[in-house]
Amino acid sequence: RTLEPAIGLVDFRTDPVKNPLSTPSGKIEIYSEQLAEIAATWELEEGDVINPIPVFTPGFQGYGSVTDEYPLYCTGFHHKSRTHSSFGFIPELEQVARQQLWINPADAESRGIASGDTVAVKSPAGEIRIEALVTPRIIPGTIGIPQGAWHKADMNGDRVDEGACVNTLTTYRPTPLAKGNGPAHSIIAQITKA
């Protein structure tokens, strides 16, 4: 089937005065007066910025924040056997879609890690144990951990999460504008063979 060409915002393009957009100015806004006002009046955490124009902002523990102690970027991703943490307790699903950390062969080799090894992942916020999956499907310098695993740690003891819950590694720090937990997918970490 062939799709007919479509013009986005055709009414606005044809007559912008008669068909204004739902923005404060009624026009396409590159500079947002609302965001400029928020940036000027809100009390923000140190290092937080709200920009009235689109700019790249790495965010807390984002691009450029790795250290010698935590040289890897870690991100959480949706797991194929769970909806967030729902269904995380079903052993049959865990058998067919195990909770595994993805690591690039270059990062795994330098750490002596092979697929199937149990690894320790540490961040400034916590530590987990998880099975490694060595794969070129993740870029070097980055590890990925499926989100939604259930936390299993002795919180009165060593606090190490044997359930491999990526949130154990996450520092809570709300984003400046939406107040969501930005670091949930922006974690600095180190991985070693457990």
Side-chain angles (χ1 to χ4, degrees):
R1 171 182 146 170
T2 304
L3 294 176
E4 295 297 318
I7 299 173
L9 306 173
V10 67
D11 293 338
F12 173 75
R13 189 179 126 181
T14 303
D15 189 344
V17 174
K18 185 178 175 185
N19 303 296
L21 300 177
S22 61
T23 62
S25 67
K27 301 175 183 176
I28 295 172
E29 294 187 352
I30 303 301
Y31 179 89
S32 170
E33 291 179 10
Q34 285 182 323
L35 288 178
E37 177 66 18
I38 289 170
T41 58
W42 283 14
E43 190 173 314
L44 301 174
E45 295 289 325
E46 184 178 338
D48 283 351
V49 177
I50 295 175
N51 293 294
I53 61 171
V55 297
F56 170 74
T57 304
F60 180 72
Q61 290 188 354
Y63 183 77
S65 62
V66 292
T67 65
D68 289 341
E69 186 177 6
Y70 303 108
L72 299 169
Y73 293 106
C74 176
T75 185
F77 62 89
H78 289 277
H79 196 261
K80 63 185 173 184
S81 72
R82 295 187 293 267
T83 303
H84 303 287
S85 63
S86 296
F87 312 114
F89 63 93
I90 301 173
E92 292 82 3
L93 288 176
E94 183 64 24
Q95 288 174 9
V96 296
R98 295 190 315 278
Q99 178 74 355
Q100 297 174 308
L101 168 140
W102 290 22
I103 183 170
N104 185 277
D107 296 318
E109 183 181 346
S110 66
R111 291 167 172 80
I113 295 169
S115 283
D117 287 347
T118 298
V119 295
V121 184
K122 293 181 184 180
S123 78
E127 183 175 347
I128 69 170
R129 296 290 183 273
I130 187 170
E131 180 183 332
L133 173 66
V134 179
T135 175
R137 295 184 68 192
I138 192 159
I139 62 171
T142 304
I143 55 175
I145 299 173
Q147 59 98 304
W150 289 22
H151 186 260
K152 297 174 191 166
D154 179 357
M155 297 308 289
N156 295 315
D158 65 9
R159 303 173 66 98
V160 174
D161 176 16
E162 302 288 337
C165 176
V166 72
N167 292 344
T168 302
L169 304 173
T170 305
T171 302
Y172 180 70
R173 180 171 172 136
T175 56
L177 182 63
K179 303 303 181 197
N181 192 21
H185 300 293
S186 184
I187 304 162
I188 55 174
Q190 176 60 293
I191 179 172
T192 56
K193 203 168 176 178

